[in-house]
């Protein structure tokens, strides 16, 4: 499974996005199941609504309904680790969506990700040691 960040979803949906073609090609190249978190879905819907309108977020949610990707559910016991991550990466800063993806990587045991955010995902470490492998670049 490949972890997916908000920027990838935006690039995939928005034909005018700088990374649109790269996102489409990566999806074809890897052709693997995708997984993300509700935090990323929420952030994606908000940004699609503000940038592209209601129909863009509906299209995105339709892909979830069609099970084109999976959602990893954060649990209350993840909260202390999320807080620790946000404090550790406060200089970036790390938001909830990014922290949720670090938790997801720890759960999956790998950091294979689609993200346009090279700076942050080149900096973040899952299990405090392991780098993400950004398959978009």
């Amino acid at each position: 499974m490949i972890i997916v960040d908000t920027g990838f979803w935006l690039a995939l949906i928005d034909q005018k996005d700088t990374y649109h073609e790269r996102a489409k090609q990566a999806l074809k190249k890897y052709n693997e199941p995708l997984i993300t978190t509700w935090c990323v879905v929420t952030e994606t819907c908000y940004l699609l609504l503000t940038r592209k309108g209601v129909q863009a977020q509906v299209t995105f949610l339709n892909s979830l309904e069609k099970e084109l990707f999976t959602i990893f559910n954060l649990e209350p016991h993840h909260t202390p680790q999320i807080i620790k991550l946000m404090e550790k990466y406060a200089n970036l800063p790390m938001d909830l969506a990014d922290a949720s993806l670090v938790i997801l990587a720890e759960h999956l045991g790998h950091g294979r990700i689609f993200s346009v955010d090279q700076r942050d995902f080149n900096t973040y470490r899952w299990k405090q040691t392991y780098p993400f492998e950004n398959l978009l670049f």
Side-chain angles (χ1 to χ4, degrees):
M1 296 191 113
I2 299 172
I3 300 166
V4 184
D5 188 24
T6 302
F8 177 82
W9 294 126
L10 297 174
L12 196 60
I13 293 166
D14 185 356
Q15 295 179 0
K16 295 179 183 176
D17 190 284
T18 305
Y19 297 103
H20 179 71
E21 284 303 316
R22 188 180 295 232
K24 282 180 21 181
Q25 293 305 315
L27 201 56
K28 287 179 188 175
K29 178 180 178 181
Y30 290 98
N31 193 27
E32 295 178 36
L34 305 176
I35 189 167
T36 195
T37 65
W38 281 112
C39 302
V40 170
V41 170
T42 301
E43 184 177 62
T44 301
C45 283
Y46 171 76
L47 292 171
L48 285 172
L49 177 63
T50 58
R51 295 178 186 181
K52 304 298 285 179
V54 172
Q55 194 52 51
Q57 70 176 347
V58 168
T59 299
F60 173 64
L61 290 173
N62 280 334
S63 66
L64 173 58
E65 182 182 31
K66 293 175 186 170
E67 299 181 354
L68 298 180
F69 61 94
T70 303
I71 301 288
F72 171 76
N73 288 311
L74 292 174
E75 301 290 339
H77 72 270
H78 292 122
T79 306
Q81 179 64 9
I82 290 169
I83 292 167
K84 190 182 294 184
L85 287 164
M86 289 175 163
E87 290 173 342
K88 179 178 181 176
Y89 295 108
N91 61 319
L92 291 176
M94 176 183 266
D95 63 20
L96 179 59
D98 286 359
S100 74
L101 295 179
V102 174
I103 298 295
L104 175 54
E106 292 174 351
H107 172 79
L108 293 174
H110 73 75
R112 297 172 72 238
I113 191 167
F114 284 152
S115 178
V116 301
D117 189 350
Q118 295 179 72
R119 180 197 70 172
D120 291 354
F121 283 96
N122 282 338
T123 303
Y124 300 149
R125 297 291 181 260
W126 55 277
K127 292 198 177 177
Q128 301 178 4
T129 306
Y130 304 103
F132 278 83
E133 179 187 359
N134 194 339
L135 303 175
L136 203 58
F137 297 97

